[in-house]
C-alpha cells in the first residue's frame, strides 16, 4: 500500500487498486489504472507509430504524439486534440506544456485548502507531483493519496502563478485520466426534483458523454459522479471505476471516446460561467476527486465507495454512530402549527419509541408561508407559545432529542434582513431579480455575509440545546453578477462555495454534538461535498414508498445508507397521491435512516401499533442497514414490477422485497440471497424456520405474496446460536 517510485514510475496503490504513472522526459503518462500491480514493465504500452495528422513535440521522433499517449494533465494546444484538463489565459494565448520537475511523498493526506477533504483514517500516503510550465511561469501540483483500507485513491490539483503578471484560469479539472480502448458503459445517477438519483446506463461511443450543473449546486438532476464500467459488468462481475467530486457547486464530468477508441475521463468545476483571476504568487486549489476501482462487479464498487464515504468523508464522529429514528412535523402540519400541536406530536412520538423530534419550517419571524421571512432567524414566541428553549425542554422531558430546520443561505425580500442589507442578495446591477419559491440567495462570496451567518447560527446553537439541524437550500443560483468587474463575477459561484464551506466547517466544528442533515428540497445538494460536513442527507421530497424505490436504489450505488434519511408519510401520499399499505411504507423507509413525517396523533390504534412495532424492529436491524454490506437483488427500474435489497452484517441479514402491482397466475418470485456463510444456519426471526446460508443463496427464498398492489415483505435472519 502507498506510494513507491522506481525507474521513472510512480505507483499509487490503495488496498486493491493502483494508478501507475510514468515520467517520460517530464511528460506524465498514465500506464495503468485498475487492479493493484506492484511491479510494472510496460506490458500494455501503446505501440508508438507515426499516426497521420498527429503532432510531434520533437522532429526526430515522429512516433511520439500527445494525442496517442495516455495522460493525466495534457499539454493544451500542442496536438492533444481531446478535451483538456487545463486552460489558462497568460500572455497572448492559452497554450501550456507542463513538465515534471520534482516530486515528494508525504505521510497522511494533504487537505485541499478551503474545500472538503477526506480524513486519512488508519493509514494514507500522498504523492505530490510538481510540474512546471517555464514559459507561462506556472506551477501545477498534482496530489494523489493512497489509503490502506480502501481501493479508492483521491486527488486534486493546485496552480501557482510565479510570473509578474496576472493570469486567468478558464478550466482546471480536479482529475483527468486516459484509459485504454475497450467496450465501456457509462453509468450516472440522474433525475429531477422528487425523482433524484435514478440510474442511467448507456454504451460509450465515439464522442463525448458529459453531465454538468450550472445551478450553483450539484442539483436534483445529476450527481457529481460518473461510473465507467465494462459493458458486460453486472452486479457480481466485471471491472468498474467511479469518479466522484467532493464539491457541491457547478461541476462537470465527462467520458470522451476519441477516434482511436481510447477513453478520457475528467471531473472538476464546470467551465460554464467560470474564470479565476490568479495574481502573481497566488495559488488556486481544485476540489478533491475520488477514484474508486473494483473488479467485483457493481456490488464491489458500491462496497468500496460506500465504505470510503462512510469512513473517510462523513464527519468521523458520525461515521459509526447509529442515527436516531425521527418524527418531522413538515408533512404533518406544514406551516400550520402551534405549541399545543407540537407537544401533542412529541407526546405521541415518544410513546411510540421515536428518538428525535424535528421542528421544520415556520418557527421564526413572520414565516407563516414560504413567501417571507428567510433571514429573520428570531423565534416566533407567539407561535411556539414561549421560547425555543422551553419547547426544547418539553421535547427533552419526553426522552427525545430536539432538531430544528434552518435555511441560512437564503433571504426573502419580505424580511428585516433584506430591508437592512438588500445588497447581500445575489443580483446583477440594472437587472430585476429572478425569484424561486419567492426567495433570493445570499451572496456567500461576500465575507461579511459569511461572518453574519457564522455569528447568527453559532448564537442559535449556543443559546439552545439543539441536537440536530436540518439545513435546507430551496432554490438555485441565478443573476450571478455581484462583482465589480467581469472577472469578479466569473469567480462568484466558486467563491460562494468557498464561503459556504467556511461557514459549515465553522459551525460543525463549534457544535460537534449537533447532527447536521443537508436538504435541498430533498436531494438537490446530495453530494460528497455536502456529506463532508453533513453526515446525512434528506434524499428526496418524494416520500411515496413506490417512487422512493429507484431513488434509494440509485443512491446506494455510491453513497452509504447511513447518509440517507427515509420517512414514512401519510397515505394518500402528498406528492404522488398514491395509496400504499402502512407496512410497505415502513419497509421502504427502513432501508434508510428511518423517520416518520405524518401526523401521528391522527393514526388509528392499529397504525400506532404498527409504528411501534416498526420502530422496535428497526432498532434491532439498524446496525445492518447503517453499517452492513448492501446487495441490490432486484432493480426497481426499467419496467420492473419488483424491488429487493439485502443488508448483511455480523451474521445477520435483512431482506426487503416490494412487489409494485398485483399479479395473477404467475409463479412466485424466488430471491437468491447473497453474502452469507454457506454452512451457517440462519433463523428467520419471529419463526422457528432455519435455513443454511447455502440454501438461502443457491436455492433461494420463495415469496408467498397475496393479491394486492404495493405489497412488501421483510425477512430478518439471525445466525442460530
Ligand atoms: C423543502 C424540504 O425538502 C422539506 O422537507 C421541507 O423542509 C420544506 N423545504 C420546508 O420549507
Amino acid at each position: 500500500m502507498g506510494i513507491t517510485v522506481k525507474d521513472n514510475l510512480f505507483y499509487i496503490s490503495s488496498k486493491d487498486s493502483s494508478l501507475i504513472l510514468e515520467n517520460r522526459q517530464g511528460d506524465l503518462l498514465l500506464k495503468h489504472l485498475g487492479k493493484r500491480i506492484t511491479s510494472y514493465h510496460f506490458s500494455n504500452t501503446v505501440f508508438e507509430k507515426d499516426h497521420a495528422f498527429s503532432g510531434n513535440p520533437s522532429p526526430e521522433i515522429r512516433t511520439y504524439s500527445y494525442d496517442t499517449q495516455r495522460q493525466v494533465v495534457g499539454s493544451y494546444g500542442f496536438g492533444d486534440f481531446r478535451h483538456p484538463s487545463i486552460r489558462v489565459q497568460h500572455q497572448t494565448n492559452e497554450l501550456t506544456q507542463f513538465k515534471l520537475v520534482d516530486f515528494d511523498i508525504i505521510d497522511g493526506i494533504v487537505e485541499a485548502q478551503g474545500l472538503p477533504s477526506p480524513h486519512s483514517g488508519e493509514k494514507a500516503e500522498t504523492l505530490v507531483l510538481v510540474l512546471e510550465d517555464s514559459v507561462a511561469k506556472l506551477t501545477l501540483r498534482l496530489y494523489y493519496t493512497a489509503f490502506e483500507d480502501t481501493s479508492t485513491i483521491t486527488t486534486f490539483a493546485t496552480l501557482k502563478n510565479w510570473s509578474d503578471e496576472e493570469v486567468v484560469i478558464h478550466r482546471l479539472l480536479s482529475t483527468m485520466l486516459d484509459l485504454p480502448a475497450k467496450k465501456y458503459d457509462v453509468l450516472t445517477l440522474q433525475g429531477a426534483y422528487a425523482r433524484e438519483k435514478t440510474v442511467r446506463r448507456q454504451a460509450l461511443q465515439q464522442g463525448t458523454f458529459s453531465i454538468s450543473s450550472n445551478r450553483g449546486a450539484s442539483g436534483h438532476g445529476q450527481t457529481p459522479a460518473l461510473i465507467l464500467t465494462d459493458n458486460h459488468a453486472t452486479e457480481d462481475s466485471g471491472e468498474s471505476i467511479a469518479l466522484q467530486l467532493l464539491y457541491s457547486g457547478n461541476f462537470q464530468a465527462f467520458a470522451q471516446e476519441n477516434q482511436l477508441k481510447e477513453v478520457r475521463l475528467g471531473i472538476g468545476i464546470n467551465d460554464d460561467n467560470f474564470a479565476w483571476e490568479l495574481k502573481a504568487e497566488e495559488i488556486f486549489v481544485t476540489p478533491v476527486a475520488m477514484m474508486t476501482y473494483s473488479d467485483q462487479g457493481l456490488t464491489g464498487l458500491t462496497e468500496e465507495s460506500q465504505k470510503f464515504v462512510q469512513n473517510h468523508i462523513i464527519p468521523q464522529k458520525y461515521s459509526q454512530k447509529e442515527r436516531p429514528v425521527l418524527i418531522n412535523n413538515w408533512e404533518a402540519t406544514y406551516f400550520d402549527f402551534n405549541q399545543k400541536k407540537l407537544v401533542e406530536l412529541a407526546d405521541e412520538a415518544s410513546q411510540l419509541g421515536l428518538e428525535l423530534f424535528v421542528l421544520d419550517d415556520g418557527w421564526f419571524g413572520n414565516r407563516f408561508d414560504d413567501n417571507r421571512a428567510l433571514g429573520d432567524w428570531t423565534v416566533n414566541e407567539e407561535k411556539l407559545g414561549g421560547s425555543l428553549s422551553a419547547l426544547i425542554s418539553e421535547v427533552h422531558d419526553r426522552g427525545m432529542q430536539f432538531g430544528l430546520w434552518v435555511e441560512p443561505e437564503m433571504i426573502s425580500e419580505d424580511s428585516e434582513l433584506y430591508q437592512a442589507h438588500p445588497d447581500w442578495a445575489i443580483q446583477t446591477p440594472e437587472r430585476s431579480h429572478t425569484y424561486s419559491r419567492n426567495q433570493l440567495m445570499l451572496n456567500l462570496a461576500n465575507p461579511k455575509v459569511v461572518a453574519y451567518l457564522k455569528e447568527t447560527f453559532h448564537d442559535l446553537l449556543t443559546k439552545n440545546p439543539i441536537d440536530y439541524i436540518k439545513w435546507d437550500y430551496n432554490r438555485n443560483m441565478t443573476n450571478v453578477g455581484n462583482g465589480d468587474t467581469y472577472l469578479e463575477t466569473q469567480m462568484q459561484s466558486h467563491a460562494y462555495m468557498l464561503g459556504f464551506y467556511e461557514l459549515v466547517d465553522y459551525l460543525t466544528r463549534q457544535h460537534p454534538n449537533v447532527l447536521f442533515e443537508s436538504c435541498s428540497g430533498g436531494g438537490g445538494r446530495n453530494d460528497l461535498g455536502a456529506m463532508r460536513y453533513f453526515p446525512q442527507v434528506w434524499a428526496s421530497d418524494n416520500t411515496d414508498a413506490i417512487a422512493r424505490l429507484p431513488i434509494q436504489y440509485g443512491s446506494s450505488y455510491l453513497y452509504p445508507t447511513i447518509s440517507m434519511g427515509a420517512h414514512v408519510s401519510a397515505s394518500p401520499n402528498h406528492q404522488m397521491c398514491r395509496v400504499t399499505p402502512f407496512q410497505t411504507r415502513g419497509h421502504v423507509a427502513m432501508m434508510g435512516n428511518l423517520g416518520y413525517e405524518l401526523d401521528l396523533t391522527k393514526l388509528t390504534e392499529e397504525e400506532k401499533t404498527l409504528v411501534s412495532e416498526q420502530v422496535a424492529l428497526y432498532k434491532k436491524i439498524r446496525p445492518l442497514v447503517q453499517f452492513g454490506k448492501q446487495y441490490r437483488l432486484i432493480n426497481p427500474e426499467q419496467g420492473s414490477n419488483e424491488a429487493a435489497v439485502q443488508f448483511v452484517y455480523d451474521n445477520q441479514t435483512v431482506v426487503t422485497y416490494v412487489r409494485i402491482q398485483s399479479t395473477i397466475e404467475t409463479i412466485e418470485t424466488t430471491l437468491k440471497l447473497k453474502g452469507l456463510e454457506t454452512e451457517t444456519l440462519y433463523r428467520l426471526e419471529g419463526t422457528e424456520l432455519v435455513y443454511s446460508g447455502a440454501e438461502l443463496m443457491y436455492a433461494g427464498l420463495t415469496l408467498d405474496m397475496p393479491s394486492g398492489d404495493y405489497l412488501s415483505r421483510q425477512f430478518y435472519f439471525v445466525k442460530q446460536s
Side-chain angles (χ1 to χ4, degrees):
M1 191 291 300
I3 314 291
T4 38
V5 183
K6 219 171 18 186
D7 305 330
N8 278 324
L9 289 168
F10 298 101
Y11 295 75
I12 303 141
S13 293
S14 279
K15 192 183 72 190
D16 269 332
S17 63
S18 292
L19 170 63
I20 303 176
L21 303 175
E22 180 195 2
N23 170 16
R24 175 96 65 101
Q25 279 150 11
D27 287 341
L28 260 187
L29 305 181
L30 192 156
K31 298 284 114 182
H32 172 72
L33 173 62
K35 190 95 176 153
R36 192 175 156 167
I37 298 175
T38 48
S39 170
Y40 172 81
H41 296 94
F42 300 90
S43 61
N44 65 340
T45 275
V46 179
F47 291 111
E48 289 171 11
K49 298 188 220 157
D50 184 357
H51 283 271
F53 290 85
S54 281
N56 313 120
S58 154
E60 281 95 49
I61 314 172
R62 287 179 53 152
T63 53
Y64 184 77
S65 47
Y66 288 134
D67 64 342
T68 57
Q69 291 295 338
R70 296 179 195 139
Q71 299 167 83
V72 287
V73 178
S75 298
Y76 185 57
F78 291 90
D80 171 10
F81 300 110
R82 293 165 283 185
H83 295 309
S85 68
I86 181 164
R87 281 202 303 115
V88 186
Q89 179 186 342
H90 60 92
Q91 298 155 324
T92 59
N93 59 72
E94 288 188 355
L95 270 70
T96 45
Q97 196 167 33
F98 285 97
K99 297 280 179 186
L100 188 77
V101 292
D102 200 4
F103 72 90
D104 196 6
I105 298 171
I106 294 172
D107 205 25
I109 66 151
V110 176
E111 294 208 348
Q113 240 194 337
L115 287 159
S117 302
H119 322 284
S120 61
E122 293 285 286
K123 199 156 180 241
E125 224 171 14
T126 302
L127 172 68
V128 190
L129 296 171
V130 185
L131 296 98
E132 260 179 30
D133 182 320
S134 54
V135 177
K137 298 195 170 57
L138 295 169
T139 301
L140 181 68
R141 283 189 162 73
L142 304 180
Y143 296 82
Y144 292 98
T145 302
F147 297 82
E148 193 170 72
D149 61 342
T150 148
S151 296
T152 292
I153 293 167
T154 59
T155 179
F156 68 99
T158 65
L159 188 72
K160 180 172 179 181
N161 175 11
W162 46 276
S163 72
D164 300 333
E165 304 291 318
E166 67 178 41
V167 301
V168 180
I169 303 172
H170 290 282
R171 174 182 178 103
L172 182 51
L173 295 182
S174 296
T175 197
M176 184 186 96
L177 302 159
D178 287 344
L179 302 172
K182 192 169 154 185
K183 283 201 182 316
Y184 293 108
D185 281 356
V186 195
L187 223 135
T188 46
L189 305 175
Q190 307 205 251
Y193 171 76
R195 57 177 176 82
E196 299 88 339
K197 296 221 172 346
T198 42
V199 181
R200 180 171 157 203
R201 180 172 178 163
Q202 55 199 275
L204 184 64
Q205 293 182 333
Q206 185 169 337
T208 302
F209 170 87
S210 71
I211 52 166
S212 62
S213 166
N214 57 5
R215 296 171 168 269
S218 45
H220 299 85
Q222 53 286 311
T223 303
L226 191 147
I227 300 171
L228 190 76
T229 177
D230 290 348
N231 75 333
H232 57 262
T234 64
E235 283 290 339
D236 304 308
S237 69
E239 283 190 302
S240 27
I241 291 167
L243 217 56
Q244 305 187 61
L245 200 64
L246 278 70
Y247 191 61
S248 320
N250 296 338
F251 78 95
Q252 59 178 322
F254 66 86
Q256 178 186 25
E257 186 180 295
N258 73 353
Q259 55 190 9
L260 304 173
K261 304 207 175 302
E262 295 260 307
V263 172
R264 172 164 289 182
L265 298 180
I267 196 162
I269 294 175
N270 193 349
D271 306 356
D272 195 4
N273 205 12
F274 166 81
W276 197 269
E277 186 180 24
L278 205 61
K279 301 207 174 87
E281 297 304 315
E282 281 185 350
I283 297 176
F284 180 80
V285 184
T286 72
V288 175
M290 188 181 143
M291 38 185 143
T292 304
Y293 165 81
S294 172
D295 64 348
Q296 305 291 310
L298 291 162
T299 303
L301 186 76
T302 286
E303 186 181 14
E304 286 302 328
S305 178
Q306 289 194 350
K307 264 202 319 216
F308 188 84
V309 175
Q310 189 152 358
N311 297 335
H312 295 275
I313 294 184
I314 284 176
Q316 277 175 311
K317 183 173 169 133
Y318 290 97
S319 70
Q320 299 303 322
K321 193 168 176 185
E322 289 185 8
R323 300 301 155 74
V325 182
L326 65 79
I327 170 74
N328 178 305
N329 76 309
W330 180 242
E331 286 195 17
T333 65
Y334 295 102
F335 291 101
D336 186 17
F337 59 82
N338 55 25
Q339 192 251 11
K340 183 169 171 281
K341 180 74 217 169
L342 296 177
V343 172
E344 275 171 17
L345 204 52
D347 251 336
E348 197 63 66
S350 73
Q351 280 163 30
L352 296 175
L354 280 74
E355 298 161 319
L356 165 66
F357 178 89
V358 181
L359 173 55
D360 211 282
D361 197 355
W363 56 268
F364 53 93
N366 194 18
R367 183 81 170 166
F368 290 100
D369 60 31
D370 61 7
N371 284 305
R372 64 204 83 250
L374 291 171
D376 296 344
W377 300 107
T378 40
V379 181
N380 185 332
E381 296 202 350
E382 214 179 302
K383 198 166 175 186
L384 293 198
S387 68
L388 182 59
S389 291
L391 179 67
I392 297 175
S393 299
E394 294 278 0
V395 172
H396 283 169
D397 289 348
R398 285 165 176 76
M400 282 190 295
Q401 296 180 314
F402 180 86
L404 193 67
W405 179 96
V406 295
E407 194 175 6
E409 297 155 82
M410 300 293 159
I411 182 166
S412 306
E413 263 188 336
D414 181 1
S415 69
E416 287 172 18
L417 186 68
Y418 191 81
Q419 293 305 311
H421 299 287
D423 56 314
W424 281 8
I426 295 184
Q427 58 199 286
T428 314
E430 297 177 48
R431 304 267 184 198
S432 49
H433 292 308
T434 302
Y435 300 89
S436 185
R437 212 191 191 199
N438 213 359
Q439 64 196 52
L440 305 174
M441 285 182 68
L442 283 168
N443 179 20
L444 271 65
N446 178 349
K448 280 192 204 146
V449 174
V450 175
Y452 160 81
L453 291 173
K454 277 183 179 171
E455 195 187 320
T456 305
F457 289 93
H458 176 50
D459 200 51
L460 179 73
L461 290 168
T462 307
K463 293 197 175 132
N464 300 285
I466 293 168
D467 306 291
Y468 157 108
I469 283 285
K470 177 178 175 186
W471 183 299
D472 214 341
Y473 171 94
N474 281 305
R475 66 159 289 169
N476 287 138
M477 205 185 279
T478 62
N479 303 57
V480 180
N482 294 62
D484 290 332
T485 62
Y486 167 77
L487 275 178
E488 267 180 38
T489 296
Q490 291 288 296
M491 289 162 74
Q492 190 177 344
S493 46
H494 181 59
Y496 179 100
M497 293 316 303
L498 296 176
F500 169 68
Y501 291 130
E502 182 186 327
L503 173 64
V504 293
D505 187 49
Y506 171 80
L507 291 173
T508 51
R509 276 179 204 271
Q510 291 290 323
H511 303 279
N513 295 328
V514 176
L515 170 64
F516 282 77
E517 174 153 353
S518 166
C519 173
S520 168
R525 202 160 58 180
N526 185 359
D527 55 59
L528 299 182
M531 255 180 247
R532 175 59 188 77
Y533 307 94
F534 301 84
Q536 62 188 54
V537 182
W538 176 225
S540 182
D541 270 2
N542 196 334
T543 58
D544 174 74
I546 303 303
R548 273 268 172 168
L549 293 171
I551 298 172
Q552 299 189 172
Y553 185 87
S555 183
S556 77
Y557 271 78
L558 297 170
Y559 296 169
T561 314
I562 197 168
S563 69
M564 182 180 71
H567 297 175
V568 173
S569 63
S571 179
N573 173 266
H574 293 191
Q575 293 80 35
M576 307 294 284
C577 296
R578 187 164 15 219
V579 175
T580 51
F582 207 98
Q583 172 171 283
T584 305
R585 282 176 269 153
H587 284 167
V588 174
M590 278 191 226
M591 290 192 267
N593 297 342
L594 177 65
Y596 290 80
E597 190 166 333
L598 74 177
D599 191 346
L600 296 172
T601 65
K602 293 205 177 120
L603 297 184
T604 62
E605 284 312 310
E606 195 190 333
E607 285 171 330
K608 284 182 190 171
T609 309
L610 265 173
V611 174
S612 61
E613 284 171 5
Q614 284 173 351
V615 173
L617 174 64
Y618 188 72
K619 287 177 183 170
K620 285 195 201 159
I621 64 168
R622 182 158 47 187
L624 282 84
V625 174
Q626 299 187 354
F627 310 124
K629 177 166 176 181
Q630 188 170 1
Y631 294 92
R632 289 176 292 265
L633 302 182
I634 305 181
N635 180 348
E637 287 183 289
Q638 287 137 10
S640 168
N641 194 35
E642 302 167 297
V645 168
Q646 183 194 354
F647 293 93
V648 179
Y649 180 74
D650 201 15
N651 282 323
Q652 302 183 26
T653 189
V654 62
V655 184
T656 305
Y657 170 83
V658 179
R659 190 190 61 201
I660 299 171
Q661 238 118 49
S662 195
T663 52
I664 197 152
E665 280 304 308
T666 52
I667 300 290
E668 296 80 9
T669 295
T670 299
L671 274 182
K672 289 188 174 173
L673 308 197
K674 294 184 180 177
L676 305 180
E677 290 170 11
T678 48
E679 298 311 316
T680 297
L681 292 177
Y682 295 87
R683 190 172 43 76
L684 179 61
E685 280 288 279
T687 73
E688 293 306 314
L689 298 169
V690 173
Y691 308 99
S692 71
E695 182 177 352
L696 290 171
M697 291 193 292
Y698 309 143
L701 186 68
T702 299
L703 301 154
D704 177 17
M705 300 293 288
S707 293
D709 291 342
Y710 315 128
L711 298 183
S712 63
R713 283 273 183 278
Q714 197 172 50
F715 302 92
Y716 174 32
F717 293 97
V718 179
K719 183 183 173 182
Q720 199 183 28
S721 43

PDB file of all heavy atoms in Angstrom, residues 330 360-361 405 437 470 472 474 519 521-522 538 541, ligand 1:
ATOM      1  N   TRP A 330     -43.103  18.397   9.164  1.00  0.00           N
ATOM      2  CA  TRP A 330     -43.416  19.111   7.915  1.00  0.00           C
ATOM      3  C   TRP A 330     -44.707  18.592   7.268  1.00  0.00           C
ATOM      4  O   TRP A 330     -45.693  19.324   7.157  1.00  0.00           O
ATOM      5  CB  TRP A 330     -42.219  19.038   6.953  1.00  0.00           C
ATOM      6  CG  TRP A 330     -42.460  19.736   5.653  1.00  0.00           C
ATOM      7  CD1 TRP A 330     -42.465  19.163   4.416  1.00  0.00           C
ATOM      8  CD2 TRP A 330     -42.739  21.128   5.434  1.00  0.00           C
ATOM      9  NE1 TRP A 330     -42.716  20.104   3.453  1.00  0.00           N
ATOM     10  CE2 TRP A 330     -42.898  21.320   4.045  1.00  0.00           C
ATOM     11  CE3 TRP A 330     -42.877  22.220   6.282  1.00  0.00           C
ATOM     12  CZ2 TRP A 330     -43.187  22.556   3.472  1.00  0.00           C
ATOM     13  CZ3 TRP A 330     -43.159  23.477   5.711  1.00  0.00           C
ATOM     14  CH2 TRP A 330     -43.322  23.628   4.335  1.00  0.00           C
ATOM     15  N   ASP A 360     -39.773  21.615  11.748  1.00  0.00           N
ATOM     16  CA  ASP A 360     -39.393  22.043  10.394  1.00  0.00           C
ATOM     17  C   ASP A 360     -39.698  23.527  10.214  1.00  0.00           C
ATOM     18  O   ASP A 360     -39.844  24.298  11.182  1.00  0.00           O
ATOM     19  CB  ASP A 360     -40.107  21.143   9.367  1.00  0.00           C
ATOM     20  CG  ASP A 360     -39.311  20.949   8.094  1.00  0.00           C
ATOM     21  OD1 ASP A 360     -39.325  21.872   7.260  1.00  0.00           O
ATOM     22  OD2 ASP A 360     -38.654  19.900   7.923  1.00  0.00           O
ATOM     23  N   ASP A 361     -39.831  23.943   8.989  1.00  0.00           N
ATOM     24  CA  ASP A 361     -40.001  25.340   8.584  1.00  0.00           C
ATOM     25  C   ASP A 361     -41.187  26.007   9.301  1.00  0.00           C
ATOM     26  O   ASP A 361     -42.201  25.364   9.555  1.00  0.00           O
ATOM     27  CB  ASP A 361     -40.266  25.319   7.068  1.00  0.00           C
ATOM     28  CG  ASP A 361     -40.068  26.667   6.417  1.00  0.00           C
ATOM     29  OD1 ASP A 361     -39.827  27.644   7.132  1.00  0.00           O
ATOM     30  OD2 ASP A 361     -40.149  26.719   5.175  1.00  0.00           O
ATOM     31  N   TRP A 405     -35.167  23.024  11.816  1.00  0.00           N
ATOM     32  CA  TRP A 405     -34.963  23.338  10.389  1.00  0.00           C
ATOM     33  C   TRP A 405     -34.404  24.756  10.247  1.00  0.00           C
ATOM     34  O   TRP A 405     -34.865  25.678  10.915  1.00  0.00           O
ATOM     35  CB  TRP A 405     -36.309  23.256   9.682  1.00  0.00           C
ATOM     36  CG  TRP A 405     -36.322  23.573   8.216  1.00  0.00           C
ATOM     37  CD1 TRP A 405     -36.260  22.694   7.187  1.00  0.00           C
ATOM     38  CD2 TRP A 405     -36.467  24.879   7.607  1.00  0.00           C
ATOM     39  NE1 TRP A 405     -36.334  23.355   5.979  1.00  0.00           N
ATOM     40  CE2 TRP A 405     -36.466  24.693   6.202  1.00  0.00           C
ATOM     41  CE3 TRP A 405     -36.582  26.177   8.102  1.00  0.00           C
ATOM     42  CZ2 TRP A 405     -36.580  25.752   5.296  1.00  0.00           C
ATOM     43  CZ3 TRP A 405     -36.692  27.230   7.204  1.00  0.00           C
ATOM     44  CH2 TRP A 405     -36.690  27.008   5.815  1.00  0.00           C
ATOM     45  N   ARG A 437     -39.312  30.007  -5.444  1.00  0.00           N
ATOM     46  CA  ARG A 437     -40.040  29.883  -4.174  1.00  0.00           C
ATOM     47  C   ARG A 437     -40.152  31.270  -3.521  1.00  0.00           C
ATOM     48  O   ARG A 437     -40.084  31.409  -2.307  1.00  0.00           O
ATOM     49  CB  ARG A 437     -39.345  28.907  -3.231  1.00  0.00           C
ATOM     50  CG  ARG A 437     -40.321  28.149  -2.337  1.00  0.00           C
ATOM     51  CD  ARG A 437     -39.638  27.374  -1.227  1.00  0.00           C
ATOM     52  NE  ARG A 437     -40.578  26.485  -0.572  1.00  0.00           N
ATOM     53  CZ  ARG A 437     -40.403  25.968   0.628  1.00  0.00           C
ATOM     54  NH1 ARG A 437     -39.325  26.230   1.324  1.00  0.00           N
ATOM     55  NH2 ARG A 437     -41.302  25.179   1.151  1.00  0.00           N
ATOM     56  N   LYS A 470     -31.586  20.534  10.449  1.00  0.00           N
ATOM     57  CA  LYS A 470     -31.894  20.219   9.041  1.00  0.00           C
ATOM     58  C   LYS A 470     -31.628  21.496   8.241  1.00  0.00           C
ATOM     59  O   LYS A 470     -32.333  22.484   8.393  1.00  0.00           O
ATOM     60  CB  LYS A 470     -33.347  19.792   8.904  1.00  0.00           C
ATOM     61  CG  LYS A 470     -33.787  19.520   7.467  1.00  0.00           C
ATOM     62  CD  LYS A 470     -35.238  19.062   7.439  1.00  0.00           C
ATOM     63  CE  LYS A 470     -35.769  18.885   6.024  1.00  0.00           C
ATOM     64  NZ  LYS A 470     -37.209  18.584   6.017  1.00  0.00           N
ATOM     65  N   ASP A 472     -31.593  23.445   5.037  1.00  0.00           N
ATOM     66  CA  ASP A 472     -32.277  23.383   3.748  1.00  0.00           C
ATOM     67  C   ASP A 472     -31.695  24.410   2.765  1.00  0.00           C
ATOM     68  O   ASP A 472     -30.986  25.362   3.174  1.00  0.00           O
ATOM     69  CB  ASP A 472     -33.775  23.649   3.972  1.00  0.00           C
ATOM     70  CG  ASP A 472     -34.665  22.867   3.020  1.00  0.00           C
ATOM     71  OD1 ASP A 472     -34.164  22.415   1.982  1.00  0.00           O
ATOM     72  OD2 ASP A 472     -35.865  22.739   3.315  1.00  0.00           O
ATOM     73  N   ASN A 474     -33.388  25.920  -0.853  1.00  0.00           N
ATOM     74  CA  ASN A 474     -34.553  25.685  -1.703  1.00  0.00           C
ATOM     75  C   ASN A 474     -34.621  26.466  -3.005  1.00  0.00           C
ATOM     76  O   ASN A 474     -35.730  26.706  -3.503  1.00  0.00           O
ATOM     77  CB  ASN A 474     -35.825  25.937  -0.901  1.00  0.00           C
ATOM     78  CG  ASN A 474     -36.132  24.747  -0.016  1.00  0.00           C
ATOM     79  OD1 ASN A 474     -36.231  23.638  -0.498  1.00  0.00           O
ATOM     80  ND2 ASN A 474     -36.235  24.972   1.279  1.00  0.00           N
ATOM     81  N   CYS A 519     -30.282  19.254   3.214  1.00  0.00           N
ATOM     82  CA  CYS A 519     -31.501  19.083   2.430  1.00  0.00           C
ATOM     83  C   CYS A 519     -31.504  20.188   1.385  1.00  0.00           C
ATOM     84  O   CYS A 519     -31.053  21.299   1.647  1.00  0.00           O
ATOM     85  CB  CYS A 519     -32.701  19.203   3.372  1.00  0.00           C
ATOM     86  SG  CYS A 519     -34.284  19.220   2.536  1.00  0.00           S
ATOM     87  N   GLY A 521     -34.624  20.831  -0.909  1.00  0.00           N
ATOM     88  CA  GLY A 521     -35.875  20.317  -1.477  1.00  0.00           C
ATOM     89  C   GLY A 521     -35.698  18.828  -1.731  1.00  0.00           C
ATOM     90  O   GLY A 521     -35.987  18.335  -2.810  1.00  0.00           O
ATOM     91  N   GLY A 522     -35.187  18.116  -0.730  1.00  0.00           N
ATOM     92  CA  GLY A 522     -34.784  16.724  -0.909  1.00  0.00           C
ATOM     93  C   GLY A 522     -33.338  16.682  -1.360  1.00  0.00           C
ATOM     94  O   GLY A 522     -32.463  17.306  -0.766  1.00  0.00           O
ATOM     95  N   TRP A 538     -31.276  14.456   3.283  1.00  0.00           N
ATOM     96  CA  TRP A 538     -32.677  14.106   3.001  1.00  0.00           C
ATOM     97  C   TRP A 538     -32.753  13.829   1.498  1.00  0.00           C
ATOM     98  O   TRP A 538     -32.629  14.733   0.671  1.00  0.00           O
ATOM     99  CB  TRP A 538     -33.560  15.281   3.439  1.00  0.00           C
ATOM    100  CG  TRP A 538     -35.026  15.161   3.155  1.00  0.00           C
ATOM    101  CD1 TRP A 538     -35.812  16.141   2.634  1.00  0.00           C
ATOM    102  CD2 TRP A 538     -35.884  14.044   3.402  1.00  0.00           C
ATOM    103  NE1 TRP A 538     -37.096  15.690   2.523  1.00  0.00           N
ATOM    104  CE2 TRP A 538     -37.172  14.398   2.991  1.00  0.00           C
ATOM    105  CE3 TRP A 538     -35.684  12.752   3.922  1.00  0.00           C
ATOM    106  CZ2 TRP A 538     -38.261  13.530   3.077  1.00  0.00           C
ATOM    107  CZ3 TRP A 538     -36.770  11.889   4.010  1.00  0.00           C
ATOM    108  CH2 TRP A 538     -38.028  12.283   3.598  1.00  0.00           C
ATOM    109  N   ASP A 541     -37.792  14.918  -1.562  1.00  0.00           N
ATOM    110  CA  ASP A 541     -39.074  15.366  -1.002  1.00  0.00           C
ATOM    111  C   ASP A 541     -40.178  14.391  -1.352  1.00  0.00           C
ATOM    112  O   ASP A 541     -41.291  14.507  -0.847  1.00  0.00           O
ATOM    113  CB  ASP A 541     -39.436  16.746  -1.574  1.00  0.00           C
ATOM    114  CG  ASP A 541     -38.881  17.868  -0.713  1.00  0.00           C
ATOM    115  OD1 ASP A 541     -38.194  17.568   0.279  1.00  0.00           O
ATOM    116  OD2 ASP A 541     -39.121  19.047  -1.043  1.00  0.00           O
TER     117      ASP A 541
HETATM  118  C1  LIG B   1     -38.057  21.585   1.471  1.00  0.00           C
HETATM  119  C2  LIG B   1     -37.704  20.343   2.223  1.00  0.00           C
HETATM  120  O1  LIG B   1     -37.243  19.362   1.371  1.00  0.00           O
HETATM  121  C3  LIG B   1     -38.912  19.877   3.024  1.00  0.00           C
HETATM  122  O2  LIG B   1     -38.625  18.670   3.665  1.00  0.00           O
HETATM  123  C4  LIG B   1     -39.258  20.948   4.000  1.00  0.00           C
HETATM  124  O3  LIG B   1     -38.232  21.099   4.953  1.00  0.00           O
HETATM  125  C5  LIG B   1     -39.505  22.259   3.295  1.00  0.00           C
HETATM  126  N1  LIG B   1     -38.430  22.611   2.415  1.00  0.00           N
HETATM  127  C6  LIG B   1     -39.727  23.389   4.262  1.00  0.00           C
HETATM  128  O4  LIG B   1     -39.847  24.598   3.661  1.00  0.00           O
END
